[in-house]
Amino acid sequence: MTDTLPIQDLIGLVRPQLDRLNRELVQDLAPGHREMLPLVEHVGGFRGKQLRPVLTFLAGMAVRGATHGGSLGDDVVTVAKVVELLHTATLVHDDVLDGASLRRRIPTVNQMAGVEVAVLLGDYIYAKAFHMAVQLPDPTAARWLAETVRVICQGEITQVLHRFDFAWTESRYFQVIAEKTASLYAAACRLGGHYAVASPAGGTEARLRALEEYGLELGIAFQIVDDCLDLDGDERVVGKSLGTDLSKGKITLPLLYLMQRGAGEGERLRAVLGRSEAEALRRLRAEFPLEHAVAYAMEEAQRRIAKAQACLSALPPGAARDALHQLAAFVVTRRL
Amino acid sequence: MTDTLPIQDLIGLVRPQLDRLNRELVQDLAPGHREMLPLVEHVGGFRGKQLRPVLTFLAGMAVRGATHGGSLGDDVVTVAKVVELLHTATLVHDDVLDGASLRRRIPTVNQMAGVEVAVLLGDYIYAKAFHMAVQLPDPTAARWLAETVRVICQGEITQVLHRFDFAWTESRYFQVIAEKTASLYAAACRLGGHYAVASPAGGTEARLRALEEYGLELGIAFQIVDDCLDLDGDERVVGKSLGTDLSKGKITLPLLYLMQRGAGEGERLRAVLGRSEAEALRRLRAEFPLEHAVAYAMEEAQRRIAKAQACLSALPPGAARDALHQLAAFVVTRRL
């Protein structure tokens, strides 16, 4: 996990808040029946970079130009927990959709306890997250996040409906990844800022919009990088098998580049997509200029990151704003 | 659908509200992308007896002794819509869990569009329901229903974990069906009452508790009847294949009765459960006193209905209270 080192410096700023979040989430998720406990504890093992709650905390600090996370109130922690739980629920269901057997080197819920339990446990975690959100006196988070989950599902469904669709376009691709991935980043950032401000003064809305836009562009870049890693990542570093998008017929940005090179390219791609992961990847590498396609996509990701960073100028300078700036840079250099 | 006639008289009292609910739900569910529209419209075809929204409306009338549904405000309609959507979401996921291909004689979502879309569409409907709930100025429904969905999932997961568990007990069976089924009936009734009362006066809480208890007992009876119909229903009337619980190893009340008849009965049942639906049902009928087992369970359902009806004495007399009384009776006489 050497490549998480740079990000750990950025996280240091909000380490106490993140530790508190992880401590509380174990208790919060505790089920009413003891036989469910192993399932709930197992899901805790999926914990990854926790980018979203980190963003919530940093956004909360940055909106006020705070120098340390200690000034963040309980409500910001609650929002970060809800965001992390919603993300966890999507992971549990994603593994069902993908028939995945491993996540972060431990068995997925569907692998461990079957598809039925995995679908229900995802629902359970969603419900728990919403229940936490509606305990907040200010209903903004509950409203924003319920709509965000609706939008995430809408994006995911649309993507499934357009697999193997060789008429798919870049604008629809960007729309779908904004919905399925970036919307939660945008919510994590905006709501972190929202709940960190006790009484919104003039100018607060402009800062919240800047944070939301930052999260959106960062999230879009994050998904583009994810899509590239599926094609040219290092399987041992990424920690999951590559070529799954190809095998499933997902038309991601590198493929859209290849399709745009000329008439008939879609037809040639059609012969590659839908094959086994290794076979699809082998043929794509052999028959298409894959490096160009990935470079094209990564340039777009870089542009999005630059846009995200530019949004930060609306915020007061300080350590949190700097951390958000570097976090954005991390998203395009990550290899997992 | 001849056997829905008796219930239609009871529904007559709240027909305008139910019509409004069905009209609005079509618009409310409208997705942002047009390719999702057929999915959302298809789910509308699952509409059944709509017992839960009917209960919400009748509870709203009964709590105030109202004589017609016209006095029910918008918030009661919203609550009824949320309850119906949450129920719909559970149906979509249930069909995934059961690998079911038909519901109410039309294809299930998983049959029509695949498991991935079905899981995501269930999540989409949950999110939409929560989003509607959090628009209500009074957060009671959002809080109560988020917790209810958590409890539903907890009950369902616990049931899955105890399949083929021949140490399963009646008390745990009742606990699980209270969670997975009756909790939503209880919420539908209580929240219908809650949102129908503009300013809660003394004595309101007693009425709301009575409605909640009524819904809980009615829901438990409903599930017991469901479990009996899986064993002795008429396939053409029930509209789905029988013996699915047997095949899946679900230990329902009639089976608990059989297990309690003496040592070794659990072992004998073990040889029946888990077989194909028709085979399991055939052997159960041939080797066990099935009528006694079903009669035993139906007696329990009758007791629960009597308890539900007794709760109604806490409410002012009137047409709505009478309808709730008769609705409870319908639950144990229904054959589908």
Side-chain angles (χ1 to χ4, degrees):
Chain A
M1 302 276 272
T2 51
D3 35 18
T4 60
L5 270 176
I7 195 182
Q8 280 186 344
D9 289 346
L10 310 176
I11 291 177
L13 214 52
V14 294
R15 173 55 62 196
Q17 285 68 41
L18 203 57
D19 289 343
R20 175 178 165 193
L21 172 139
N22 285 319
R23 222 166 33 238
E24 290 185 4
L25 275 183
V26 178
Q27 297 157 4
D28 291 335
L29 265 186
H33 303 319
R34 68 180 189 292
E35 55 265 67
M36 271 182 68
L37 201 58
L39 290 169
V40 165
E41 286 173 347
H42 184 83
V43 165
F46 294 160
R47 196 181 298 158
K49 299 178 283 292
Q50 301 199 293
L51 271 186
R52 294 162 196 78
V54 166
L55 286 169
T56 301
F57 293 137
L58 289 176
M61 290 172 64
V63 78
R64 298 189 302 159
T67 51
H68 62 93
S71 60
L72 292 173
D74 292 345
D75 287 358
V76 177
V77 179
T78 300
V79 167
K81 288 198 289 185
V82 172
V83 166
E84 182 70 352
L85 282 182
L86 292 176
H87 174 58
T88 305
T90 65
L91 293 183
V92 171
H93 279 183
D94 277 354
D95 288 339
V96 172
L97 307 189
D98 296 345
S101 53
L102 282 179
R103 171 170 296 275
R104 304 203 173 275
R105 300 169 214 285
I106 64 173
T108 58
V109 178
N110 39 306
Q111 175 71 18
M112 189 178 78
V115 165
E116 290 166 287
V117 168
V119 171
L120 292 166
L121 191 68
D123 294 347
Y124 177 91
I125 299 170
Y126 271 126
K128 185 70 212 179
F130 282 124
H131 190 247
M132 282 170 64
V134 290
Q135 303 308 315
L136 290 164
D138 174 351
T140 305
R143 289 177 185 168
W144 198 285
L145 289 170
E147 173 64 5
T148 299
V149 173
R150 190 193 69 75
V151 163
I152 289 172
C153 297
Q154 175 173 288
E156 293 240 35
I157 292 171
T158 305
Q159 182 174 57
V160 172
L161 294 178
H162 286 278
R163 285 191 194 153
F164 299 101
D165 176 0
F166 294 91
W168 195 234
T169 62
E170 282 200 7
S171 74
R172 293 226 65 195
Y173 165 80
F174 289 128
Q175 186 183 32
V176 156
I177 68 173
E179 290 181 347
K180 75 165 189 159
T181 305
S183 62
L184 191 55
Y185 282 96
C189 293
R190 184 186 174 104
L191 295 172
H194 179 96
Y195 281 87
V197 183
S199 48
T204 301
E205 176 56 27
R207 291 183 183 181
L208 297 185
R209 253 207 299 268
L211 284 167
E212 182 187 343
E213 185 79 4
Y214 163 87
L216 188 74
E217 297 296 340
L218 179 142
I220 289 172
F222 185 93
Q223 187 58 55
I224 293 173
V225 174
D226 230 46
D227 292 345
C228 288
L229 287 174
D230 187 63
L231 298 176
D232 82 335
D234 180 336
E235 201 148 309
R236 291 159 304 178
V237 177
V238 178
K240 60 182 180 182
S241 56
L242 307 182
T244 53
D245 292 345
L246 291 178
S247 183
K248 297 196 150 227
K250 281 194 208 170
I251 316 276
T252 58
L253 191 54
L255 296 200
L256 286 163
Y257 167 84
L258 295 176
M259 277 163 55
Q260 287 157 8
R261 289 189 312 147
E265 292 299 295
E267 277 308 310
R268 285 183 62 216
L269 270 174
R270 197 188 296 270
V272 172
L273 267 63
R275 297 179 178 271
S276 76
E277 298 172 359
E279 165 77 358
L281 207 50
R282 193 190 58 70
R283 285 194 55 176
L284 192 74
R285 282 176 182 152
E287 301 171 24
F288 293 87
L290 183 58
E291 330 77 88
H292 291 189
V294 168
Y296 172 83
M298 286 302 291
E299 272 168 36
E300 178 66 30
Q302 286 287 6
R303 266 193 301 275
R304 299 290 182 155
I305 287 303
K307 249 176 112 175
Q309 290 170 328
C311 293
L312 296 173
S313 65
L315 299 166
R321 192 180 84 167
D322 290 348
L324 287 173
H325 195 276
Q326 291 168 57
L327 207 60
F330 163 78
V331 159
V332 276
T333 55
R334 76 197 176 92
R335 297 304 291 164
L336 91 169
Chain B
M1 302 281 271
T2 51
D3 34 20
T4 59
L5 272 176
I7 197 182
Q8 281 187 342
D9 287 347
L10 310 175
I11 292 176
L13 214 51
V14 294
R15 172 56 62 195
Q17 284 69 40
L18 203 58
D19 288 344
R20 177 179 161 190
L21 172 140
N22 286 318
R23 219 164 38 236
E24 290 184 7
L25 275 182
V26 177
Q27 297 158 2
D28 291 335
L29 266 186
H33 302 320
R34 68 179 190 291
E35 55 264 67
M36 273 183 68
L37 201 58
L39 290 169
V40 166
E41 287 174 344
H42 184 83
V43 165
F46 295 160
R47 195 180 299 160
K49 297 177 285 292
Q50 301 197 292
L51 271 185
R52 294 162 198 79
V54 166
L55 286 169
T56 300
F57 293 137
L58 289 177
M61 291 173 63
V63 78
R64 299 189 300 158
T67 51
H68 63 93
S71 59
L72 293 173
D74 291 346
D75 287 357
V76 177
V77 178
T78 300
V79 168
K81 287 197 290 187
V82 172
V83 165
E84 182 69 353
L85 282 182
L86 292 177
H87 173 58
T88 304
T90 66
L91 293 183
V92 171
H93 280 183
D94 278 353
D95 288 338
V96 173
L97 307 189
D98 296 344
S101 53
L102 282 180
R103 169 167 300 273
R104 303 202 174 275
R105 300 168 214 286
I106 65 172
T108 58
V109 178
N110 40 306
Q111 175 71 21
M112 190 178 79
V115 165
E116 291 167 287
V117 168
V119 171
L120 293 166
L121 191 68
D123 293 348
Y124 177 92
I125 298 171
Y126 271 126
K128 186 69 213 179
F130 283 123
H131 190 247
M132 282 171 64
V134 290
Q135 303 308 315
L136 289 164
D138 174 352
T140 305
R143 290 177 185 171
W144 198 285
L145 289 170
E147 172 64 4
T148 299
V149 172
R150 191 193 68 76
V151 162
I152 290 171
C153 297
Q154 173 172 288
E156 293 238 36
I157 292 171
T158 305
Q159 182 174 59
V160 171
L161 295 177
H162 287 278
R163 285 189 194 157
F164 299 101
D165 175 1
F166 293 93
W168 194 234
T169 62
E170 282 199 6
S171 74
R172 294 225 65 195
Y173 166 79
F174 288 129
Q175 188 183 32
V176 157
I177 66 173
E179 290 181 349
K180 76 166 188 157
T181 306
S183 61
L184 191 55
Y185 282 95
C189 293
R190 183 185 175 105
L191 295 172
H194 179 97
Y195 282 86
V197 182
S199 46
T204 301
E205 176 56 26
R207 290 183 184 181
L208 298 185
R209 253 207 299 267
L211 284 166
E212 183 188 343
E213 184 79 5
Y214 163 87
L216 189 72
E217 297 296 339
L218 178 141
I220 290 172
F222 185 92
Q223 187 58 55
I224 294 173
V225 173
D226 230 46
D227 293 346
C228 289
L229 287 174
D230 188 62
L231 298 176
D232 82 335
D234 180 335
E235 203 148 306
R236 292 159 303 178
V237 177
V238 179
K240 59 181 180 184
S241 58
L242 307 181
T244 53
D245 292 343
L246 291 177
S247 182
K248 298 197 149 224
K250 280 194 209 170
I251 317 276
T252 57
L253 190 53
L255 296 199
L256 285 163
Y257 167 84
L258 294 175
M259 277 163 55
Q260 286 156 7
R261 288 190 314 146
E265 292 299 295
E267 277 308 311
R268 286 183 62 216
L269 270 175
R270 197 188 295 271
V272 172
L273 266 63
R275 297 179 177 272
S276 75
E277 297 174 359
E279 165 76 357
L281 207 50
R282 194 190 57 70
R283 286 194 55 175
L284 192 75
R285 281 177 181 150
E287 300 169 26
F288 293 86
L290 183 58
E291 328 79 86
H292 290 188
V294 169
Y296 172 83
M298 287 302 290
E299 273 168 34
E300 178 66 28
Q302 285 287 5
R303 267 194 300 275
R304 298 290 183 156
I305 288 304
K307 249 176 111 177
Q309 290 171 328
C311 292
L312 297 173
S313 64
L315 299 166
R321 191 178 86 167
D322 291 348
L324 288 173
H325 196 278
Q326 291 167 58
L327 208 60
F330 163 78
V331 160
V332 277
T333 54
R334 75 197 176 92
R335 298 303 292 165
L336 93 168

